[in-house]
Amino acid sequence: MSAKVISGREVAETILTTDLKNKVLELNKKNIKPKLIVMLVGDMKASASYVAQKEKFAVKAGIESNVMRFEANVTEKEILSQIDNINNDKSIHGVIVQLPLPDHISVTKVLNRIDPSKDVDGFTPTNVGKLFLGEETLVSCTPKGIMQMLASTGTDLSGKNVTVVGRSNIVGKPVAILCLQQNATVTMCHSRTKDLNSKLADADVIIVAVGIPKFINGDQIPKGSIVIDVGIHNIDGKLCGDVDFDSASQKASAITPVPGGVGPMTVCALIENTIIAAERIG
């Protein structure tokens, strides 16, 4: 059997050009123009490419997206000061600081400085806490995008076994919470989990965000499961994920590709969060 490929590009395109674009038009009628600021420190090619995709998606949805660029040697004080200015600017509805940051800048200090109502990445302690408690909040973008991809397959997670491989604050932990909120039974695993195969054996859905190229292969995947691959790596000039796509696609019923899977959905979720922030602030 060959798995159905869940195209993040196609799902994101549909969301951007229908639901989100219509929401922006309604906001514009109220003289509210959703505005996103992306803070980019240094000259990392991967970050620059990601920022370019964010700008492209912003145009499709009809929101304004501006990039604030800083040299790699910018001081932490300057970054914090710029965040303060953004927090106080009522015309700006969302801000993200592109990670990673140079070593001399504290990620914790930067994230804690962002007004939670403008934290469209969903990284501040306030928004993470609200997510954990099941309260209305700005949900972390990659987990949110993953849930939208699963929804696009028509999958009802209630009663399903979901195995999450990866325990990061950005993906693993929040996506596990979101699955629990949909009444899934969630198993959390990571790179040091003993006998990982036994944890995967009964999984209906497998979400892999461990950060290791081709960490999971087809032999480990139950037949008919849905596989969401969050990883992206450049190996000898070729992109791959945390899952060996070729072997996994012979066992799974549906699987995300790399690239073109979770990545576009993460950006789409960021645009959606900006619009939600504008609706609340406006």
Side-chain angles (χ1 to χ4, degrees):
M1 133 178 142
S2 185
K4 172 188 176 182
V5 176
I6 310 170
S7 172
R9 289 195 181 103
E10 292 180 5
V11 177
E13 182 76 16
T14 299
I15 294 172
L16 284 165
T17 57
T18 55
D19 184 45
L20 298 188
K21 192 169 185 178
N22 289 335
K23 287 183 177 180
V24 172
L25 290 174
E26 289 302 312
L27 285 169
N28 289 345
K29 290 177 183 177
K30 301 174 185 177
N31 203 30
I32 299 171
K33 299 179 180 180
K35 184 175 181 179
L36 169 68
I37 297 294
V38 179
M39 299 179 71
L40 180 61
V41 180
D43 186 26
M44 295 184 64
K45 289 184 178 179
S47 292
S49 174
Y50 206 51
V51 168
Q53 189 176 41
K54 289 170 182 172
E55 292 180 297
K56 180 180 178 181
F57 278 27
V59 170
K60 287 187 176 183
I63 76 168
E64 183 179 350
S65 176
N66 296 331
V67 180
M68 295 179 66
R69 302 179 187 274
F70 303 88
E71 297 295 330
N73 62 355
V74 65
T75 66
E76 181 180 272
K77 182 179 179 180
E78 174 62 19
I79 293 297
L80 295 176
S81 176
Q82 289 295 337
I83 291 174
D84 288 340
N85 291 338
I86 291 168
N87 287 341
N88 293 324
D89 188 336
K90 293 183 179 180
S91 72
I92 297 172
H93 303 97
V95 57
I96 70 164
V97 179
Q98 188 69 38
L99 303 178
L101 291 170
D103 292 340
H104 68 279
I105 300 176
S106 167
V107 173
T108 300
K109 286 183 180 179
V110 166
L111 295 182
N112 286 346
R113 197 68 159 244
I114 297 172
D115 182 339
S117 69
K118 298 187 179 187
D119 168 35
V120 288
D121 250 341
F123 288 168
T124 60
T126 296
N127 286 330
V128 172
K130 286 183 175 181
L131 173 63
F132 184 87
L133 294 172
E135 296 179 5
E136 186 179 79
T137 189
L138 294 170
V139 177
S140 302
C141 296
T142 298
K144 182 173 186 172
I146 290 170
M147 301 308 288
Q148 290 174 324
M149 294 187 86
L150 287 170
S152 76
T153 68
T155 302
D156 180 2
L157 290 182
S158 183
K160 295 289 197 302
N161 294 322
V162 176
T163 299
V164 178
V165 186
R167 52 182 168 177
S168 73
N169 293 330
I170 295 174
V171 182
K173 293 176 185 176
V175 81
I177 295 296
L178 290 173
C179 290
L180 284 170
Q181 290 174 358
Q182 292 196 17
N183 300 315
T185 299
V186 180
T187 300
M188 288 288 296
C189 301
H190 45 80
S191 61
R192 297 184 185 180
T193 296
K194 293 182 180 179
D195 194 13
L196 177 60
N197 289 358
S198 69
K199 309 298 189 297
L200 295 169
D202 296 325
D204 300 300
V205 177
I206 300 172
I207 301 169
V208 189
V210 73
I212 301 173
K214 299 185 179 182
F215 184 72
I216 300 294
N217 61 61
D219 291 338
Q220 299 168 282
I221 294 171
K223 187 176 181 180
S225 57
I226 297 174
V227 178
I228 306 292
D229 187 353
V230 182
I232 185 164
H233 313 274
N234 191 324
I235 308 296
D236 298 326
K238 294 184 179 180
L239 294 178
C240 69
D242 289 353
V243 176
D244 178 43
F245 181 87
D246 290 341
S247 63
S249 61
Q250 298 306 308
K251 295 285 289 294
S253 63
I255 188 171
T256 59
V258 177
V262 173
M265 292 304 302
T266 297
V267 181
C268 181
L270 173 69
I271 302 303
E272 183 173 7
N273 278 349
T274 303
I275 294 167
I276 291 171
E279 289 173 335
R280 294 176 183 170
I281 296 173

